[in-house]
Amino acid sequence: MNKTDLYPQLYDVVASRYSCRAYTPEPVSREMLLAVLDSARLAPSACNKQPWVFVVADTQETRKIVVDAYNRDWVKDVQAFIIACGDHTQAWHRADGKDHTDVDVAIAVEHICLAATSLGLGTCWICNFDANALAKAFSLPENLEPIAIIPVGYPEPAATVPAKNRKPIDEIVKWGKY
């Protein structure tokens, strides 16, 4: 059976999600942003600790802060950013001390990206930014670390989902022992 026959809606959303780097100037409504953020609220986390907070930058002033922390031309016209922050004091830690904040926040961020895609919005993960400048400018408490910035907006009409260059399934899946 074809995988698209097994779960067509999910597969279509996953297949059409891409790192959008061209947006229209149309603002994203708070209602749409809340719908996307609600999917992050429902994301699983280790021991249900939910070590995350999401800061929305959707005003001219707050968007400029984000643009200054990630100085790339393509983000200058983005109408909304979600800053995914992790709280290491709230996270589950494995017996060997491994902190799962980044893992939990990553799961929530991907929920955001998939929810946005299902609503016709574009997103992109941004991790290469000045986290200290962003934390200071948004007055984040010391326990919150900005982990990712997610621009959210309407993709330019000419944008197309690029071909996905992914490894074949037999290269990434091993049955039993390696």
Side-chain angles (χ1 to χ4, degrees):
M1 183 174 271
N2 188 319
K3 59 191 163 272
T4 58
D5 293 334
L6 294 172
Y7 50 96
Q9 291 171 319
L10 176 62
Y11 193 86
D12 287 347
V13 170
V14 172
S16 62
R17 186 246 168 265
Y18 70 101
S19 296
C20 181
R21 290 184 179 88
Y23 299 86
T24 70
E26 182 181 350
V28 179
S29 71
R30 291 252 169 128
E31 180 181 67
M32 292 282 273
L33 290 169
L34 282 170
V36 166
L37 288 160
D38 196 46
S39 71
R41 184 183 65 81
L42 297 173
S45 62
C47 295
N48 198 30
K49 296 286 189 172
Q50 305 169 57
W52 50 58
V53 173
F54 303 95
V55 177
V56 178
D58 66 346
T59 66
Q60 185 174 355
E61 177 188 357
T62 57
R63 290 190 333 258
K64 183 179 180 332
I65 293 169
V66 176
V67 170
D68 289 347
Y70 178 73
N71 192 15
R72 304 295 189 284
D73 284 340
W74 69 268
V75 297
K76 291 183 177 159
D77 294 325
V78 172
Q79 297 299 302
F81 296 96
I82 298 171
I83 302 150
C85 302
D87 185 344
H88 295 278
T89 65
Q90 296 293 314
W92 177 76
H93 294 80
R94 196 168 56 199
D96 64 2
K98 174 157 177 48
D99 177 337
H100 275 256
T101 303
D102 288 358
V103 173
D104 291 342
V105 171
I107 294 167
V109 167
E110 189 58 9
H111 273 53
I112 288 170
C113 291
L114 293 174
T117 299
S118 75
L119 294 172
L121 298 168
T123 60
C124 183
W125 284 66
I126 299 174
C127 295
N128 182 20
F129 60 91
D130 187 337
N132 291 330
L134 202 64
K136 183 177 179 182
F138 279 99
S139 303
L140 297 180
E142 233 177 83
N143 60 307
L144 288 185
E145 174 195 7
I147 293 176
I149 299 169
I150 306 104
V152 181
Y154 294 95
E156 280 290 337
T160 58
V161 179
K164 294 189 185 279
N165 181 15
R166 301 296 192 260
K167 294 177 180 178
I169 194 81
D170 61 346
E171 192 174 322
I172 64 167
V173 175
K174 307 298 178 200
W175 300 96
K177 293 183 180 181
Y178 195 91

